[in-house]
Amino acid sequence: MCNTSLATEFFTKSQKRVFAKNSGREPNEAQAILHVPRQIFEKNSKLKTTYIEIPQVSQTNEVFLCKPFHIWGAEMGVNEFGVTIGYEAIFSNLKIPKKNIGLTGMDLLRLALERTSSARQALFLITELLESYGQVAYGSYANRPFFYNSSFIIADRTDGYLLETADKFWVAKKISDFCAITNHLTIDSDFDFSSKSLENKLLNTNDFSFKRTFSNSFCTYINGSKERRKLNIKMANTSIAKHNSYTAMESIQNLKTHSISEDEFEPCNSNMKSLCLHAKGLTTPIQTNGSLVVEWDISELNPDPIRIFYTGTSSPCLSVFKPFYFGTKNLVEQSSLLPNQNYSETLWWLHESINRRANYDYQSVRSVLLPTMIGLQESIFSNYKESLSLQKKEETQWKFLKDHVNLLKTTYSELNLHKLGVSRLQNPFFHMYWKNQNKNLNLPGFNE
């Protein structure tokens, strides 16, 4: 399960706007980082999305995407115009035909980033595609029959919207200060835009509420989304109270938050109330598989007003947020390999080999990783400059990516040397769960 937020300049009390998202997915569902340049297509070209074909446009934008490796669409991403979108799975009370005959919410997100240049354009393209093709398709991995609807935060340098859907019904509202969403509907009757298909429902009641009409209260309860949303809002307000501002640095720290204090936290006692999720079994089957933070500078004096930071790994509490610059050419696509390939060749699986050691002894693994990780993160922030030449941008983002990979390799060796992060006495169901997850991978180097 995910959590997404947007803080506008009215919340940050500065010339900054900040988008942040943790992507919660199944533990073995590796997440790919994908950088796609502008592309031109021939007339009458077709586009194969995750499940269906639709007409292709003549030209697409340069995009940076964080996506499950097996899905065409993306959980979150940014385009060259600064349009940024985060996606959430929503559970409605409508019966969804279990057929892959439509677009996924992630497909809608990627299509909007590839085809629009503003948040407002993206909002209305998503809703147009939704009404045309529907969202009748599953977006899960091992849990194949898992079907759901979507909500989105859509933002750019000056604008932002919350869009919530239930089948082809939808409502949207402008975001004025701080907005946080997770995996449940939040909009009552205070929306600014809606689908025409809602008109009959609006005419038949004087007290229409989108969330009350379409929410699945059971799924909302068991996935802990209300508690996660409250924690997200609480952490943002705490940052404002403490620092009198809210920047990319504060939002990154918030994405690392557990509902249990850091000194006491172990993955075996995790729950669905955290912003940084760690899977442990039936009651918490999801972990955070990737994170993205985008910060806009709305000052007219800034020639390059967007800063992008991504993990490309699971568990932001144990990861580094690295920079990405548009216009660059040599950011290697760190696509997560399929389970039968060499995990050490990718950032995601290399980090996961350490993350799964942390499952068995989080505090010991964290104590080894944290000092170097903090040092690298501080170096990234202190050396981040928007006004670099294109060559310097390429060198900078590649350097920090390689530094992160080297950090992980060094940490892995040290954990092996001192025999840290090995199996120890814990909940037997927790052990059984992770033994099965690792067995399904069939990868060398993962603890059972």
Side-chain angles (χ1 to χ4, degrees):
M1 301 292 126
C2 311
N3 49 271
T4 309
S5 67
L6 175 67
T8 74
E9 62 274 22
F10 299 104
F11 181 83
T12 64
K13 301 178 182 178
S14 68
Q15 296 291 292
K16 308 288 187 184
R17 294 166 63 88
V18 183
F19 168 95
K21 176 171 177 178
N22 276 345
S23 169
R25 306 290 300 183
E26 298 170 45
N28 288 345
E29 190 177 13
Q31 191 153 115
I33 298 301
L34 183 62
H35 175 205
V36 185
R38 282 191 180 190
Q39 294 180 285
I40 297 175
F41 298 92
E42 295 181 357
K43 189 177 180 180
N44 298 323
S45 294
K46 294 290 185 179
L47 169 65
K48 178 64 168 67
T49 62
T50 303
Y51 299 112
I52 66 171
E53 269 194 357
I54 65 172
Q56 180 60 283
V57 294
S58 60
Q59 180 173 304
T60 55
N61 303 323
E62 181 183 5
V63 295
F64 177 79
L65 306 170
C66 305
K67 60 186 288 298
F69 75 94
H70 61 106
I71 295 285
W72 180 84
E75 279 268 335
M76 48 200 172
V78 195
N79 72 18
E80 62 183 292
F81 298 99
V83 179
T84 303
I85 309 177
Y87 156 86
E88 299 280 337
I90 288 296
F91 304 94
S92 77
N93 55 20
L94 298 177
K95 186 175 181 180
I96 302 176
K98 294 188 175 182
K99 299 177 181 179
N100 294 319
I101 56 175
L103 297 169
T104 68
M106 289 177 277
D107 291 342
L108 292 167
L109 182 152
R110 180 171 176 174
L111 288 165
L113 290 177
E114 288 188 344
R115 299 181 177 194
T116 67
S117 58
S118 72
R120 188 179 178 89
Q121 287 180 3
L123 167 66
F124 291 115
L125 178 63
I126 289 176
T127 55
E128 177 185 337
L129 292 169
L130 174 69
E131 292 179 344
S132 297
Y133 298 102
Q135 49 184 328
V136 185
Y138 65 74
S140 54
Y141 178 44
N143 188 3
R144 291 292 183 179
F146 202 39
F147 289 75
Y148 41 76
N149 292 156
S150 315
S151 71
F152 307 85
I153 284 183
I154 307 165
D156 60 25
R157 190 184 183 196
T158 60
D159 211 357
Y161 300 92
L162 167 59
L163 168 63
E164 296 186 344
T165 75
D167 193 19
K168 292 186 178 182
F169 298 113
W170 62 267
V171 291
K173 62 187 292 188
K174 191 174 178 66
I175 298 172
S176 57
D177 49 15
F178 184 82
C179 178
I181 58 173
T182 53
N183 304 104
H184 65 276
L185 298 172
T186 63
I187 298 177
D188 276 310
S189 57
D190 55 336
F191 46 85
D192 300 310
F193 309 99
S194 65
S195 54
K196 290 185 177 180
S197 55
L198 276 179
E199 289 181 359
N200 290 335
K201 290 185 177 291
L202 292 171
L203 291 172
N204 293 335
T205 179
N206 294 322
D207 187 29
F208 177 81
S209 163
F210 191 79
K211 72 175 183 180
R212 191 168 63 244
T213 301
F214 294 111
S215 286
N216 183 320
S217 57
F218 175 73
C219 288
T220 298
Y221 173 75
I222 63 171
N223 68 38
S225 60
K226 288 188 175 181
E227 288 79 8
R228 283 200 310 281
R229 181 169 180 258
K230 288 177 182 177
L231 181 59
N232 203 347
I233 295 170
K234 176 185 176 182
M235 295 302 298
N237 284 323
T238 299
S239 295
I240 285 289
K242 185 176 181 179
H243 305 288
N244 200 34
S245 68
Y246 187 75
T247 66
M249 293 181 68
E250 278 87 46
S251 67
I252 284 173
Q253 287 306 120
N254 291 351
L255 292 179
K256 297 172 180 279
T257 305
H258 305 118
S259 61
I260 301 166
S261 69
E262 295 303 313
D263 293 337
E264 299 175 357
F265 178 76
E266 290 287 348
C268 63
N269 61 21
S270 64
N271 57 53
M272 295 296 288
K273 299 177 183 179
S274 296
L275 299 184
C276 178
L277 289 170
H278 295 254
K280 72 172 185 180
L282 182 63
T283 59
T284 310
I286 299 298
Q287 69 178 22
T288 298
N289 276 353
S291 304
L292 177 70
V293 168
V294 177
E295 182 183 80
W296 299 267
D297 188 329
I298 64 173
S299 166
E300 294 182 0
L301 300 177
N302 194 328
D304 194 1
I306 189 169
R307 304 205 303 169
I308 300 167
F309 300 96
Y310 71 99
T311 59
T313 70
S314 65
S315 301
C317 63
L318 298 174
S319 192
V320 175
F321 285 74
K322 299 163 291 296
F324 169 77
Y325 297 92
F326 277 108
T328 52
K329 296 178 181 178
N330 73 338
L331 177 65
V332 174
E333 179 189 333
Q334 290 290 312
S335 295
S336 307
L337 299 179
L338 296 175
N340 61 350
Q341 294 179 283
N342 187 355
Y343 75 93
S344 63
E345 295 177 4
T346 65
L347 173 66
W348 199 91
W349 283 113
L350 179 58
H351 175 272
E352 194 64 10
S353 67
I354 294 173
N355 187 50
R356 299 203 180 187
R357 283 179 174 258
N359 284 335
Y360 299 113
D361 193 354
Y362 179 85
Q363 295 299 336
S364 294
V365 172
R366 182 170 178 262
S367 67
V368 173
L369 181 61
L370 203 60
T372 312
M373 188 180 80
I374 290 175
L376 177 55
Q377 191 68 76
E378 289 176 348
S379 177
I380 288 171
F381 278 116
S382 62
N383 287 283
Y384 191 102
K385 295 179 177 62
E386 292 89 344
S387 55
L388 296 174
S389 67
L390 190 58
Q391 180 180 347
K392 279 293 184 182
K393 288 179 177 179
E394 290 176 351
E395 291 173 358
T396 298
Q397 67 184 17
W398 184 236
K399 173 189 181 304
F400 287 128
L401 177 57
K402 288 194 294 184
D403 286 348
H404 190 192
V405 168
N406 290 334
L407 182 159
L408 293 172
K409 289 180 177 179
T410 301
T411 300
Y412 188 78
S413 296
E414 188 170 351
L415 293 175
N416 277 337
L417 178 65
H418 297 289
K419 298 181 179 180
L420 297 175
V422 295
S423 183
R424 61 191 179 89
L425 186 62
Q426 290 174 319
N427 185 319
F429 295 105
F430 178 79
H431 275 266
M432 187 182 302
Y433 172 78
W434 276 108
K435 183 176 182 178
N436 287 334
Q437 292 294 325
N438 293 336
K439 182 179 179 180
N440 290 338
L441 281 178
N442 192 30
L443 282 174
F446 283 83
N447 295 305
E448 294 188 0

